[in-house]
Short mmCIF file of all heavy atoms in Angstrom, two decimals:
data_model
loop_
_atom_site.label_atom_id
_atom_site.label_comp_id
_atom_site.label_asym_id
_atom_site.label_seq_id
_atom_site.Cartn_x
_atom_site.Cartn_y
_atom_site.Cartn_z
N SER V 72 6.75 8.57 14.42
CA SER V 72 6.36 7.90 15.65
C SER V 72 5.55 8.89 16.48
O SER V 72 5.88 10.07 16.52
CB SER V 72 7.61 7.46 16.40
OG SER V 72 7.26 7.09 17.71
N SER V 80 11.12 -0.13 15.33
CA SER V 80 10.25 -0.34 14.18
C SER V 80 10.03 -1.84 14.00
O SER V 80 10.92 -2.64 14.25
CB SER V 80 10.90 0.26 12.94
OG SER V 80 10.30 -0.28 11.80
N GLN V 83 12.27 -4.52 10.04
CA GLN V 83 13.72 -4.41 10.07
C GLN V 83 14.30 -5.14 8.88
O GLN V 83 14.05 -6.33 8.69
CB GLN V 83 14.28 -5.01 11.37
CG GLN V 83 13.77 -4.34 12.63
CD GLN V 83 14.35 -2.94 12.85
OE1 GLN V 83 15.30 -2.53 12.19
NE2 GLN V 83 13.75 -2.20 13.77
N ASN V 102 24.05 9.44 -15.46
CA ASN V 102 25.28 10.20 -15.59
C ASN V 102 25.92 10.01 -16.95
O ASN V 102 26.45 10.95 -17.54
CB ASN V 102 26.25 9.82 -14.48
CG ASN V 102 25.94 10.59 -13.22
OD1 ASN V 102 26.17 11.78 -13.17
ND2 ASN V 102 25.38 9.92 -12.25
N SER V 110 26.53 17.21 -22.33
CA SER V 110 27.91 17.68 -22.12
C SER V 110 28.76 17.53 -23.39
O SER V 110 29.19 18.51 -23.98
CB SER V 110 28.57 16.93 -20.97
OG SER V 110 27.90 17.23 -19.78
N PHE V 118 33.33 23.20 -29.99
CA PHE V 118 34.63 22.98 -30.66
C PHE V 118 34.50 23.35 -32.13
O PHE V 118 35.33 24.03 -32.70
CB PHE V 118 35.05 21.52 -30.58
CG PHE V 118 35.45 21.06 -29.21
CD1 PHE V 118 35.43 21.91 -28.13
CD2 PHE V 118 35.87 19.76 -29.02
CE1 PHE V 118 35.78 21.49 -26.87
CE2 PHE V 118 36.24 19.31 -27.77
CZ PHE V 118 36.20 20.17 -26.69
N GLU V 121 34.54 26.75 -33.21
CA GLU V 121 35.83 27.43 -33.06
C GLU V 121 36.85 26.98 -34.09
O GLU V 121 37.98 27.45 -34.10
CB GLU V 121 36.36 27.19 -31.65
CG GLU V 121 35.44 27.80 -30.61
CD GLU V 121 35.85 27.47 -29.18
OE1 GLU V 121 36.92 26.88 -29.00
OE2 GLU V 121 35.08 27.82 -28.27
N LYS V 201 31.40 32.78 -21.10
CA LYS V 201 32.44 33.70 -20.66
C LYS V 201 33.78 33.03 -20.81
O LYS V 201 33.88 31.81 -20.95
CB LYS V 201 32.19 34.14 -19.21
CG LYS V 201 32.16 33.02 -18.19
CD LYS V 201 32.09 33.56 -16.77
CE LYS V 201 30.78 34.20 -16.40
NZ LYS V 201 29.67 33.22 -16.27
N GLN V 202 34.81 33.84 -20.80
CA GLN V 202 36.16 33.31 -20.98
C GLN V 202 37.10 34.12 -20.10
O GLN V 202 37.08 35.34 -20.14
CB GLN V 202 36.54 33.43 -22.46
CG GLN V 202 37.87 32.87 -22.84
CD GLN V 202 37.94 31.36 -22.74
OE1 GLN V 202 38.64 30.82 -21.89
NE2 GLN V 202 37.23 30.66 -23.59
N ASP V 203 37.90 33.43 -19.29
CA ASP V 203 38.89 34.16 -18.49
C ASP V 203 39.96 34.73 -19.42
O ASP V 203 40.31 34.11 -20.43
CB ASP V 203 39.56 33.22 -17.49
CG ASP V 203 38.77 33.13 -16.19
OD1 ASP V 203 37.58 33.49 -16.22
OD2 ASP V 203 39.33 32.69 -15.18
N ARG B 223 40.20 32.99 -2.02
CA ARG B 223 41.15 32.15 -2.73
C ARG B 223 42.55 32.74 -2.77
O ARG B 223 43.48 32.09 -3.21
CB ARG B 223 40.66 31.93 -4.16
CG ARG B 223 39.23 31.46 -4.21
CD ARG B 223 38.64 31.68 -5.58
NE ARG B 223 38.77 33.08 -5.96
CZ ARG B 223 38.52 33.54 -7.18
NH1 ARG B 223 38.13 32.73 -8.13
NH2 ARG B 223 38.66 34.81 -7.45
N THR B 356 17.09 -0.63 11.58
CA THR B 356 18.41 -1.07 11.12
C THR B 356 18.88 -0.26 9.92
O THR B 356 18.10 0.02 9.02
CB THR B 356 18.32 -2.56 10.72
OG1 THR B 356 17.80 -3.27 11.84
CG2 THR B 356 19.67 -3.10 10.34
N THR B 384 36.43 28.06 -17.70
CA THR B 384 36.58 29.31 -18.44
C THR B 384 38.02 29.62 -18.77
O THR B 384 38.28 30.63 -19.40
CB THR B 384 36.03 30.49 -17.62
OG1 THR B 384 36.64 30.44 -16.35
CG2 THR B 384 34.53 30.40 -17.48
N ASN B 385 38.95 28.82 -18.30
CA ASN B 385 40.32 29.15 -18.69
C ASN B 385 41.17 27.93 -18.97
O ASN B 385 42.32 27.88 -18.63
CB ASN B 385 40.99 30.06 -17.67
CG ASN B 385 40.74 29.60 -16.28
OD1 ASN B 385 40.75 28.40 -16.02
ND2 ASN B 385 40.50 30.52 -15.36
N ASN B 388 39.81 23.40 -24.55
CA ASN B 388 38.58 22.63 -24.73
C ASN B 388 38.80 21.15 -24.48
O ASN B 388 37.99 20.49 -23.85
CB ASN B 388 38.04 22.81 -26.14
CG ASN B 388 37.50 24.20 -26.34
OD1 ASN B 388 37.20 24.89 -25.38
ND2 ASN B 388 37.38 24.61 -27.59
N GLU B 399 30.43 14.70 -13.11
CA GLU B 399 29.10 14.11 -13.15
C GLU B 399 29.10 12.77 -12.39
O GLU B 399 28.16 12.47 -11.66
CB GLU B 399 28.66 13.94 -14.61
CG GLU B 399 28.16 15.26 -15.19
CD GLU B 399 28.09 15.30 -16.70
OE1 GLU B 399 28.23 14.25 -17.34
OE2 GLU B 399 27.90 16.41 -17.24
N ARG B 418 9.46 2.78 6.44
CA ARG B 418 8.82 1.96 7.48
C ARG B 418 9.57 2.01 8.81
O ARG B 418 9.62 1.04 9.56
CB ARG B 418 8.68 0.52 7.02
CG ARG B 418 7.79 0.45 5.80
CD ARG B 418 7.21 -0.88 5.57
NE ARG B 418 6.13 -0.72 4.59
CZ ARG B 418 5.80 -1.65 3.72
NH1 ARG B 418 6.44 -2.80 3.71
NH2 ARG B 418 4.82 -1.44 2.89
N LEU B 421 9.81 6.77 13.08
CA LEU B 421 10.64 7.97 13.08
C LEU B 421 10.14 9.02 14.06
O LEU B 421 9.00 9.46 13.98
CB LEU B 421 10.67 8.56 11.67
CG LEU B 421 11.60 9.74 11.46
CD1 LEU B 421 13.05 9.31 11.57
CD2 LEU B 421 11.35 10.39 10.10
N GLN B 455 28.31 29.87 -18.73
CA GLN B 455 27.40 30.97 -18.41
C GLN B 455 27.32 31.23 -16.91
O GLN B 455 27.32 32.36 -16.47
CB GLN B 455 25.99 30.69 -18.96
CG GLN B 455 24.92 31.65 -18.49
CD GLN B 455 25.06 33.06 -19.06
OE1 GLN B 455 26.12 33.44 -19.52
NE2 GLN B 455 24.00 33.83 -19.03
N HIS B 457 29.39 30.19 -14.35
CA HIS B 457 30.66 30.38 -13.64
C HIS B 457 30.79 31.83 -13.16
O HIS B 457 30.47 32.74 -13.90
CB HIS B 457 31.80 30.03 -14.60
CG HIS B 457 33.17 30.21 -14.04
ND1 HIS B 457 33.76 29.28 -13.24
CD2 HIS B 457 34.05 31.23 -14.14
CE1 HIS B 457 34.97 29.71 -12.89
NE2 HIS B 457 35.16 30.89 -13.41
#
Side-chain angles (χ1 to χ4, degrees):
Chain V
S72 167
S80 162
Q83 300 288 348
N102 277 289
S110 295
F118 290 0
E121 296 174 7
K201 60 173 70 70
Q202 183 68 248
D203 273 19
Chain B
R223 309 161 304 170
T356 305
T384 52
N385 45 39
N388 289 341
E399 281 163 11
R418 298 201 166 148
L421 186 68
Q455 170 69 341
H457 178 82

